[in-house]
Every structure is written in C-alpha cells, then in structure tokens.
Amino acid sequence: MQPIKLVIFCFFITLATHATAQSPFTYEEANTKSYALYEKASWKELLDYGREAVLNNQDFTLLRLRMGYAAFMLNNFSEAIRQYEQVLKNDSYNSTAHYYIWLCRKYLNQTELADAQVRYLSPEVIAEAKLRSFAFTDANIEASFKTTNSSFRNNTNYEKIELKNRFGYNIHMQQAGALFNQSILLANALRPGAIPPPPPYRTASINQSEYYNKITANMNSHWQLKAAYHYTQTNTDNTIYNNQSALVGIKYFNHYFDIQADAIFSTITDTSISQYNAQIGIYPFGNLKLYGFSTAIIRNRPSGSAFNFRQVIGVQISKKLWLEGNTTLGTFTDLLENDGLYIYNQIDKNLFKAGLFGYIPLSSQCTFNMGYTLEQRVLYNTNNTFNQHSITGGLSWKF
C-alpha cells in the first residue's frame, strides 16, 4: 500500500505545480499584463483585469495604482478613490494616491473633504495649484423673484451673497447674508375658513434680513463634523421677530454614497421648533453625470410633529449643462433646507414645492445657474389655495 500512496501523492503535487505554472495570475504575469494595458491606455480592460487578478490573490501596489488611474481616466472617480485607498493601506504616505484622491474629491464636488489630502501632496503640486492654508475658496450671489396668482400676496424679492474660506486644510467656513421683502393683504376681522378673507383689508410689509455661518471640520478622509447658525430679523405688521437656528451634524463619505445626520434647534416667531434630518447622497456612476440626494425630515413644534421628504436628482445633459430637479413633500410653515441655509418661515402653509435648475459652467472657475420653483400654498386663515412661482438666478466663483 505504501508505493500506491506515494504515487498518488506525487500525482497531486505534479498537478498542483502544473496548475500554478499555467495560472495567468502569478505576480510576474499580473504585473506584465497590467503594465501593457496601461501603456496601451486600455482603461476598461485594465480595470477588469485588475479586479480579476485581485480575486486570484495578486494584490500589490503597482497594480492598484494602475487600476486607480484607469478608473480616473474612465471618469469613475469613486472607483478611483477606492483603488487609491487600497494603496494607502500598505503605503500611507504614497503621494500619487493622495494626489488623485484629492482630484477625485474635487471632481465629485466634495471640495472641503478634498483638502484633507493636501498635507500629503508634494511641494511642487501645492505650488502649482497655488494652495494656501488660509484662503477664500468660493463666492456666490443669488437673486430670486417670486410672484403669485393671489391678489392677497404681492411679488417677493430675495437676494443672497455668500463667501467661503478655509482655516488650515481641515476647517472651512461658509458665510451668507440675505434680504427678503414682500407686502401682503390681511383682513382686519379674521374669520377662519373664509374664502376669500372678508374686508376691510390692510397692507402688511414683511422685511427680513439674514445672517448664516457654517463651520465644517474634516475629522479624517471620510468623516466631517458640521455646525451652523442662522439668524433672521423679521419685521412684519409693526412687530419684530428675532429668529435663531442652530445646526449640529455629522457626515460620512463612502465611495459611491454619503450619509448625513443632523439636528436643528430653532426659535421662529417666538415658537420653539426642532428638526431632525437624515440624508443619503448617491453617485451610481462614480461621477456627477447622475446623482441624487434623499432627505427624511421630522419636525417638532408645540402644536405637534410632522414629516417631510426632500428629493434632489441631478443629471448631466451635455458637457456644459447639468439639470437638477427637486421636490419637497409634506405640508410645512417652518422648514430649513441645505444645512439650514434656506429658511421657510412663511405665514401661509406650504402644501407642495418642486423646482428645476440648470447649471452652466462659464469657465473652470465660474458657473451660472437659473431655475424655476413652484409652490402650492394655503392662504393664511382660509382654505383658499394659491400658487407661487419663483425665478432664481445666480453666479458662483471658485478661487
């Protein structure tokens, strides 16, 4: 029996040796072929081959660097980040990996998180990009004209100016100032449910000035902390309201999605309101050709709780045009959006809100946007609905 066991053992050793010799996924083969595909600029084939090689236990820095660059050239920035982060697991100071993660985050419009990579960049890259630890990074102006089909609500104007800067590469500040004004007709003798409100009427002017400040702190290459403060002074009907809102939140960035949870505590027209938001952003192709943000909102006020849902979907139509649609479902009179930047503290209950915006890059640093928003509201103290139409335009600069 002993010779038979020896023959069987030798047979399996020979078979295993032959199989290994025939495998296309030795280190030498994977290195040679991936380099050849890199030289041919066969990016998709290189990425597919690299994934197969990794599954067959050939995982090394040069291969991941080539796969990351292939994904970058295919404009799949999320996949590129994934590959370059694999490089950093074995070589945490690899400047090439940090450089392309920095670029990919910027191309995904995650510019604040991109700065977390700057301390690893070479002096030559920092000098060429003219990066400074303290700098003004963005400026934005926005104006909106609103009109309604109700004779009880006159036209509205809203203007906002915004400035962003960074303190070091992990602390960013966003500041904004805004003005809002409108005149409305109110009935002197209020009769709930009347359609329309009974005369006599008086004109009430609403003038609101706003200041907003948000701090974003990079905890590492995937996590951010946020804190924001929004002050509004509202003058209406001979009464002045000093409204204040404070936001605290945390955000996690994965490769193809990000998640944010935040809470906003406000005092609006002498009413204490709390708002809790849970948001997920998705980039299915690893770029901004298609993206979406879904936000679930719970609001608590003394009169009760309410739920709202906000959906944003953006798509690249052409090289120079992005379209972005949004809708907010659920009724509200007090609501804060975009990290508390926009505050809806109107007298009329909002039943529905939806809009469509277009973004056109005028240069590598300047973008023009214009959009339309439709809101369906209920006239205060009645059951009468009306529509508000908004045209908004803006310019943004990156320094």
Side-chain angles (χ1 to χ4, degrees), residues 276-296:
Y276 304 93
N277 307 301
Q279 175 184 285
I280 181 169
I282 299 176
Y283 315 89
F285 302 127
N287 51 49
L288 297 182
K289 291 183 178 179
L290 178 67
Y291 58 90
F293 297 95
S294 303
T295 308

PDB file of all heavy atoms in Angstrom, residues 276-296:
ATOM      1  N   TYR A 276     -35.093  67.264  12.634  1.00  0.00           N
ATOM      2  CA  TYR A 276     -34.093  66.203  12.527  1.00  0.00           C
ATOM      3  C   TYR A 276     -34.060  65.691  11.092  1.00  0.00           C
ATOM      4  O   TYR A 276     -35.102  65.343  10.514  1.00  0.00           O
ATOM      5  CB  TYR A 276     -34.422  65.068  13.497  1.00  0.00           C
ATOM      6  CG  TYR A 276     -34.532  65.554  14.926  1.00  0.00           C
ATOM      7  CD1 TYR A 276     -35.768  65.922  15.470  1.00  0.00           C
ATOM      8  CD2 TYR A 276     -33.393  65.667  15.726  1.00  0.00           C
ATOM      9  CE1 TYR A 276     -35.864  66.378  16.777  1.00  0.00           C
ATOM     10  CE2 TYR A 276     -33.487  66.122  17.033  1.00  0.00           C
ATOM     11  CZ  TYR A 276     -34.725  66.482  17.552  1.00  0.00           C
ATOM     12  OH  TYR A 276     -34.812  66.944  18.837  1.00  0.00           O
ATOM     13  N   ASN A 277     -32.851  65.658  10.511  1.00  0.00           N
ATOM     14  CA  ASN A 277     -32.679  65.298   9.107  1.00  0.00           C
ATOM     15  C   ASN A 277     -31.768  64.083   8.967  1.00  0.00           C
ATOM     16  O   ASN A 277     -30.743  63.986   9.650  1.00  0.00           O
ATOM     17  CB  ASN A 277     -32.066  66.461   8.316  1.00  0.00           C
ATOM     18  CG  ASN A 277     -32.832  67.756   8.491  1.00  0.00           C
ATOM     19  OD1 ASN A 277     -34.015  67.831   8.193  1.00  0.00           O
ATOM     20  ND2 ASN A 277     -32.155  68.782   8.995  1.00  0.00           N
ATOM     21  N   ALA A 278     -32.137  63.188   8.060  1.00  0.00           N
ATOM     22  CA  ALA A 278     -31.282  62.059   7.675  1.00  0.00           C
ATOM     23  C   ALA A 278     -31.197  62.060   6.156  1.00  0.00           C
ATOM     24  O   ALA A 278     -32.218  61.955   5.473  1.00  0.00           O
ATOM     25  CB  ALA A 278     -31.855  60.740   8.178  1.00  0.00           C
ATOM     26  N   GLN A 279     -29.989  62.195   5.634  1.00  0.00           N
ATOM     27  CA  GLN A 279     -29.807  62.345   4.189  1.00  0.00           C
ATOM     28  C   GLN A 279     -28.823  61.325   3.648  1.00  0.00           C
ATOM     29  O   GLN A 279     -27.814  61.011   4.288  1.00  0.00           O
ATOM     30  CB  GLN A 279     -29.303  63.751   3.871  1.00  0.00           C
ATOM     31  CG  GLN A 279     -28.960  63.976   2.393  1.00  0.00           C
ATOM     32  CD  GLN A 279     -28.381  65.346   2.136  1.00  0.00           C
ATOM     33  OE1 GLN A 279     -29.083  66.342   2.135  1.00  0.00           O
ATOM     34  NE2 GLN A 279     -27.070  65.404   1.929  1.00  0.00           N
ATOM     35  N   ILE A 280     -29.119  60.812   2.459  1.00  0.00           N
ATOM     36  CA  ILE A 280     -28.173  59.953   1.738  1.00  0.00           C
ATOM     37  C   ILE A 280     -27.977  60.512   0.341  1.00  0.00           C
ATOM     38  O   ILE A 280     -28.947  60.888  -0.342  1.00  0.00           O
ATOM     39  CB  ILE A 280     -28.667  58.481   1.677  1.00  0.00           C
ATOM     40  CG1 ILE A 280     -27.636  57.626   0.933  1.00  0.00           C
ATOM     41  CG2 ILE A 280     -30.048  58.367   1.054  1.00  0.00           C
ATOM     42  CD1 ILE A 280     -27.888  56.137   1.059  1.00  0.00           C
ATOM     43  N   GLY A 281     -26.728  60.627  -0.071  1.00  0.00           N
ATOM     44  CA  GLY A 281     -26.382  61.040  -1.423  1.00  0.00           C
ATOM     45  C   GLY A 281     -25.782  59.870  -2.183  1.00  0.00           C
ATOM     46  O   GLY A 281     -24.995  59.099  -1.620  1.00  0.00           O
ATOM     47  N   ILE A 282     -26.148  59.727  -3.450  1.00  0.00           N
ATOM     48  CA  ILE A 282     -25.721  58.568  -4.240  1.00  0.00           C
ATOM     49  C   ILE A 282     -25.126  59.045  -5.564  1.00  0.00           C
ATOM     50  O   ILE A 282     -25.685  59.931  -6.228  1.00  0.00           O
ATOM     51  CB  ILE A 282     -26.901  57.610  -4.509  1.00  0.00           C
ATOM     52  CG1 ILE A 282     -27.467  57.086  -3.185  1.00  0.00           C
ATOM     53  CG2 ILE A 282     -26.465  56.436  -5.379  1.00  0.00           C
ATOM     54  CD1 ILE A 282     -28.683  56.204  -3.342  1.00  0.00           C
ATOM     55  N   TYR A 283     -23.978  58.439  -5.958  1.00  0.00           N
ATOM     56  CA  TYR A 283     -23.304  58.707  -7.231  1.00  0.00           C
ATOM     57  C   TYR A 283     -23.114  57.368  -7.938  1.00  0.00           C
ATOM     58  O   TYR A 283     -22.039  56.760  -7.867  1.00  0.00           O
ATOM     59  CB  TYR A 283     -21.952  59.376  -6.990  1.00  0.00           C
ATOM     60  CG  TYR A 283     -22.003  60.492  -5.961  1.00  0.00           C
ATOM     61  CD1 TYR A 283     -21.809  60.212  -4.602  1.00  0.00           C
ATOM     62  CD2 TYR A 283     -22.262  61.797  -6.328  1.00  0.00           C
ATOM     63  CE1 TYR A 283     -21.869  61.212  -3.650  1.00  0.00           C
ATOM     64  CE2 TYR A 283     -22.316  62.815  -5.381  1.00  0.00           C
ATOM     65  CZ  TYR A 283     -22.119  62.514  -4.048  1.00  0.00           C
ATOM     66  OH  TYR A 283     -22.191  63.510  -3.097  1.00  0.00           O
ATOM     67  N   PRO A 284     -24.139  56.862  -8.628  1.00  0.00           N
ATOM     68  CA  PRO A 284     -24.096  55.476  -9.127  1.00  0.00           C
ATOM     69  C   PRO A 284     -22.990  55.204 -10.136  1.00  0.00           C
ATOM     70  O   PRO A 284     -22.524  54.074 -10.239  1.00  0.00           O
ATOM     71  CB  PRO A 284     -25.484  55.288  -9.762  1.00  0.00           C
ATOM     72  CG  PRO A 284     -25.986  56.665 -10.037  1.00  0.00           C
ATOM     73  CD  PRO A 284     -25.406  57.534  -8.967  1.00  0.00           C
ATOM     74  N   PHE A 285     -22.554  56.233 -10.885  1.00  0.00           N
ATOM     75  CA  PHE A 285     -21.505  56.031 -11.883  1.00  0.00           C
ATOM     76  C   PHE A 285     -20.157  56.558 -11.401  1.00  0.00           C
ATOM     77  O   PHE A 285     -19.209  56.630 -12.176  1.00  0.00           O
ATOM     78  CB  PHE A 285     -21.883  56.699 -13.205  1.00  0.00           C
ATOM     79  CG  PHE A 285     -23.187  56.198 -13.774  1.00  0.00           C
ATOM     80  CD1 PHE A 285     -24.187  57.088 -14.131  1.00  0.00           C
ATOM     81  CD2 PHE A 285     -23.419  54.844 -13.927  1.00  0.00           C
ATOM     82  CE1 PHE A 285     -25.395  56.629 -14.647  1.00  0.00           C
ATOM     83  CE2 PHE A 285     -24.615  54.377 -14.434  1.00  0.00           C
ATOM     84  CZ  PHE A 285     -25.607  55.273 -14.797  1.00  0.00           C
ATOM     85  N   GLY A 286     -20.089  56.956 -10.130  1.00  0.00           N
ATOM     86  CA  GLY A 286     -18.827  57.442  -9.594  1.00  0.00           C
ATOM     87  C   GLY A 286     -18.456  58.827 -10.059  1.00  0.00           C
ATOM     88  O   GLY A 286     -17.294  59.226  -9.963  1.00  0.00           O
ATOM     89  N   ASN A 287     -19.433  59.578 -10.569  1.00  0.00           N
ATOM     90  CA  ASN A 287     -19.188  60.946 -11.035  1.00  0.00           C
ATOM     91  C   ASN A 287     -20.495  61.738 -10.917  1.00  0.00           C
ATOM     92  O   ASN A 287     -21.468  61.260 -10.332  1.00  0.00           O
ATOM     93  CB  ASN A 287     -18.654  60.945 -12.466  1.00  0.00           C
ATOM     94  CG  ASN A 287     -19.517  60.123 -13.409  1.00  0.00           C
ATOM     95  OD1 ASN A 287     -20.743  60.263 -13.439  1.00  0.00           O
ATOM     96  ND2 ASN A 287     -18.883  59.238 -14.183  1.00  0.00           N
ATOM     97  N   LEU A 288     -20.507  62.942 -11.495  1.00  0.00           N
ATOM     98  CA  LEU A 288     -21.697  63.792 -11.404  1.00  0.00           C
ATOM     99  C   LEU A 288     -22.561  63.744 -12.658  1.00  0.00           C
ATOM    100  O   LEU A 288     -23.386  64.636 -12.881  1.00  0.00           O
ATOM    101  CB  LEU A 288     -21.282  65.238 -11.101  1.00  0.00           C
ATOM    102  CG  LEU A 288     -20.581  65.446  -9.757  1.00  0.00           C
ATOM    103  CD1 LEU A 288     -20.252  66.919  -9.545  1.00  0.00           C
ATOM    104  CD2 LEU A 288     -21.421  64.912  -8.610  1.00  0.00           C
ATOM    105  N   LYS A 289     -22.392  62.703 -13.463  1.00  0.00           N
ATOM    106  CA  LYS A 289     -23.294  62.549 -14.606  1.00  0.00           C
ATOM    107  C   LYS A 289     -24.706  62.199 -14.140  1.00  0.00           C
ATOM    108  O   LYS A 289     -25.683  62.497 -14.834  1.00  0.00           O
ATOM    109  CB  LYS A 289     -22.755  61.475 -15.556  1.00  0.00           C
ATOM    110  CG  LYS A 289     -21.476  61.895 -16.278  1.00  0.00           C
ATOM    111  CD  LYS A 289     -21.018  60.827 -17.258  1.00  0.00           C
ATOM    112  CE  LYS A 289     -19.758  61.304 -17.990  1.00  0.00           C
ATOM    113  NZ  LYS A 289     -19.259  60.282 -18.952  1.00  0.00           N
ATOM    114  N   LEU A 290     -24.799  61.547 -12.998  1.00  0.00           N
ATOM    115  CA  LEU A 290     -26.091  61.256 -12.375  1.00  0.00           C
ATOM    116  C   LEU A 290     -25.862  61.176 -10.872  1.00  0.00           C
ATOM    117  O   LEU A 290     -24.952  60.495 -10.409  1.00  0.00           O
ATOM    118  CB  LEU A 290     -26.672  59.938 -12.895  1.00  0.00           C
ATOM    119  CG  LEU A 290     -28.005  59.498 -12.265  1.00  0.00           C
ATOM    120  CD1 LEU A 290     -29.122  60.462 -12.654  1.00  0.00           C
ATOM    121  CD2 LEU A 290     -28.365  58.081 -12.695  1.00  0.00           C
ATOM    122  N   TYR A 291     -26.691  61.895 -10.120  1.00  0.00           N
ATOM    123  CA  TYR A 291     -26.556  61.872  -8.672  1.00  0.00           C
ATOM    124  C   TYR A 291     -27.913  62.166  -8.045  1.00  0.00           C
ATOM    125  O   TYR A 291     -28.833  62.680  -8.699  1.00  0.00           O
ATOM    126  CB  TYR A 291     -25.526  62.903  -8.189  1.00  0.00           C
ATOM    127  CG  TYR A 291     -25.823  64.334  -8.588  1.00  0.00           C
ATOM    128  CD1 TYR A 291     -26.587  65.167  -7.770  1.00  0.00           C
ATOM    129  CD2 TYR A 291     -25.336  64.855  -9.782  1.00  0.00           C
ATOM    130  CE1 TYR A 291     -26.865  66.468  -8.130  1.00  0.00           C
ATOM    131  CE2 TYR A 291     -25.605  66.152 -10.159  1.00  0.00           C
ATOM    132  CZ  TYR A 291     -26.369  66.966  -9.335  1.00  0.00           C
ATOM    133  OH  TYR A 291     -26.650  68.260  -9.710  1.00  0.00           O
ATOM    134  N   GLY A 292     -28.048  61.826  -6.788  1.00  0.00           N
ATOM    135  CA  GLY A 292     -29.299  62.073  -6.089  1.00  0.00           C
ATOM    136  C   GLY A 292     -29.076  62.234  -4.597  1.00  0.00           C
ATOM    137  O   GLY A 292     -28.152  61.644  -4.020  1.00  0.00           O
ATOM    138  N   PHE A 293     -29.927  63.055  -3.973  1.00  0.00           N
ATOM    139  CA  PHE A 293     -29.902  63.252  -2.526  1.00  0.00           C
ATOM    140  C   PHE A 293     -31.319  63.076  -1.997  1.00  0.00           C
ATOM    141  O   PHE A 293     -32.248  63.732  -2.476  1.00  0.00           O
ATOM    142  CB  PHE A 293     -29.396  64.649  -2.158  1.00  0.00           C
ATOM    143  CG  PHE A 293     -27.974  64.911  -2.579  1.00  0.00           C
ATOM    144  CD1 PHE A 293     -27.697  65.549  -3.780  1.00  0.00           C
ATOM    145  CD2 PHE A 293     -26.918  64.506  -1.783  1.00  0.00           C
ATOM    146  CE1 PHE A 293     -26.395  65.789  -4.183  1.00  0.00           C
ATOM    147  CE2 PHE A 293     -25.609  64.737  -2.171  1.00  0.00           C
ATOM    148  CZ  PHE A 293     -25.351  65.382  -3.377  1.00  0.00           C
ATOM    149  N   SER A 294     -31.477  62.199  -1.042  1.00  0.00           N
ATOM    150  CA  SER A 294     -32.780  61.944  -0.433  1.00  0.00           C
ATOM    151  C   SER A 294     -32.699  62.306   1.045  1.00  0.00           C
ATOM    152  O   SER A 294     -31.796  61.845   1.748  1.00  0.00           O
ATOM    153  CB  SER A 294     -33.180  60.474  -0.591  1.00  0.00           C
ATOM    154  OG  SER A 294     -33.187  60.092  -1.958  1.00  0.00           O
ATOM    155  N   THR A 295     -33.659  63.120   1.508  1.00  0.00           N
ATOM    156  CA  THR A 295     -33.628  63.602   2.888  1.00  0.00           C
ATOM    157  C   THR A 295     -34.968  63.353   3.562  1.00  0.00           C
ATOM    158  O   THR A 295     -36.012  63.780   3.057  1.00  0.00           O
ATOM    159  CB  THR A 295     -33.312  65.105   2.941  1.00  0.00           C
ATOM    160  OG1 THR A 295     -32.140  65.386   2.179  1.00  0.00           O
ATOM    161  CG2 THR A 295     -33.096  65.546   4.387  1.00  0.00           C
ATOM    162  N   ALA A 296     -34.933  62.647   4.682  1.00  0.00           N
ATOM    163  CA  ALA A 296     -36.113  62.460   5.520  1.00  0.00           C
ATOM    164  C   ALA A 296     -36.056  63.478   6.650  1.00  0.00           C
ATOM    165  O   ALA A 296     -35.006  63.643   7.291  1.00  0.00           O
ATOM    166  CB  ALA A 296     -36.166  61.044   6.077  1.00  0.00           C
TER     167      ALA A 296
END
